[in-house]
């Protein structure tokens, strides 16, 4: 068990500085979710964002460096081969809904902090409790599972579809195909 907030990662016996701020990790998540990028581009973006000295890292360390980055993003927990349920949140789309309750948990405005460690951010995120974001996730869950919403949830959904429904993300190729039809 690690009780500190890591600022380095050991890769094949070499200690590398890492970017541990929550904004850097959210940028990595955004990059690896980008349908426009190839798997190699995603891996390179991840390494370049996470390791400030990536350009000095030997290529033989890349695979282990990616594993260490994923381990960090998972807050030190090994990735499990659990069956994933439906998508209920999107860091990029939901960030404004997440920031306010995280601010409340931490008692400060996180966006004005020069540095907020990813582990601290995730700990606060896990404690946000009842809020608009929780209501949005609850409705998404019910919709994904085909469960009936109560009247207040139906009303909330009707008034806030833009918050609940995931925005479509098209690749450049999809957009080109769509533009021919529109």
């Amino acid at each position: 068990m690690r009780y500190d907030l890591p600022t380095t990662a050991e890769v094949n016996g070499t200690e590398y500085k890492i970017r541990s701020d929550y904004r850097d990790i959210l940028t990595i998540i955004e990059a690896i979710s980008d349908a426009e990028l190839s798997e190699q581009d995603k891996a390179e973006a991840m390494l370049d964002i996470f390791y400030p000295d990536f350009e000095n890292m030997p290529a033989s360390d890349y695979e282990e460096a990616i594993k260490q980055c994923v381990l960090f993003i998972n807050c030190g927990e090994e990735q499990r081969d659990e069956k994933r349920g439906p998508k209920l949140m999107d860091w990029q789309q939901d960030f404004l809904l997440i920031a306010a309750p995280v601010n409340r948990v931490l008692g400060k405005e996180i966006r004005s902090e020069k540095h907020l460690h990813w582990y601290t951010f995730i700990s606060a995120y896990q404690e946000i409790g009842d809020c608009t974001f929780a209501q949005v996730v609850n409705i998404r869950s019910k919709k994904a599972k085909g469960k009936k919403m109560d009247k207040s949830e139906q009303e909330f959904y009707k008034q806030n579809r833009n918050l609940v429904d995931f925005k479509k993300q098209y690749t450049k190729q999809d957009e080109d195909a769509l533009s021919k039809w529109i």
Side-chain angles (χ1 to χ4, degrees):
M1 173 60 70
R2 195 171 178 163
Y3 295 103
D4 61 340
L5 298 174
T7 57
T8 62
E10 186 176 322
V11 178
N12 295 331
T14 302
E15 200 79 14
Y16 289 97
K17 282 186 160 267
I18 60 170
R19 292 187 177 98
S20 60
D21 185 71
Y22 79 96
R23 290 164 280 236
D24 295 315
I25 305 308
L26 291 177
T27 302
I28 290 170
I29 292 170
E30 183 179 350
I32 62 178
S33 300
D34 188 335
E36 294 275 324
L37 297 178
S38 69
E39 292 304 311
Q40 183 173 341
D41 289 341
K42 290 176 184 185
E44 189 173 315
M46 173 191 277
L47 294 173
D48 189 46
I49 295 165
F50 191 62
Y51 297 99
D53 297 326
F54 170 62
E55 69 276 353
N56 299 325
M57 183 183 287
S60 59
D61 283 351
Y62 291 178
E63 186 176 340
E64 180 62 22
I66 289 170
K67 288 178 185 175
Q68 292 303 316
C69 179
V70 170
L71 185 65
F72 181 85
I73 292 170
N74 290 334
C75 296
E77 297 288 321
E78 293 291 331
Q79 207 164 2
R80 299 181 191 106
D81 291 330
E82 295 175 355
K83 186 176 179 182
R84 293 182 188 231
K87 178 179 177 176
L88 299 178
M89 62 90 61
D90 181 284
W91 286 109
Q92 196 173 356
Q93 180 176 325
D94 297 331
F95 181 75
L96 292 177
L97 296 175
I98 294 167
V102 167
N103 287 343
R104 186 183 39 167
V105 169
L106 293 176
K108 59 185 169 185
E109 172 54 63
I110 62 171
R111 291 165 290 190
S112 65
E113 292 292 306
K114 187 173 178 158
H115 182 271
L116 180 65
H117 198 280
W118 174 247
Y119 285 20
T120 303
F121 176 82
I122 288 297
S123 293
Y125 168 80
Q126 291 172 337
E127 294 298 322
I128 61 177
D130 191 26
C131 60
T132 303
F133 175 65
Q135 189 168 5
V136 166
V137 170
N138 181 51
I139 291 171
R140 286 176 182 164
S141 177
K142 285 187 174 185
K143 285 178 53 84
K145 295 175 181 175
K147 292 185 177 180
K148 187 164 175 59
M149 291 185 275
D150 66 31
K151 285 187 180 191
S152 66
E153 292 167 332
Q154 290 173 14
E155 185 65 27
F156 181 89
Y157 178 62
K158 191 166 38 169
Q159 293 176 358
N160 296 285
R161 282 181 175 241
N162 62 321
L163 296 178
V164 177
D165 294 340
F166 288 114
K167 293 169 181 51
K168 297 272 190 233
Q169 293 182 352
Y170 297 106
T171 65
K172 175 88 169 102
Q173 189 176 17
D174 293 337
E175 287 175 6
D176 290 345
L178 286 171
S179 69
K180 291 178 184 173
W181 291 92
I182 298 174

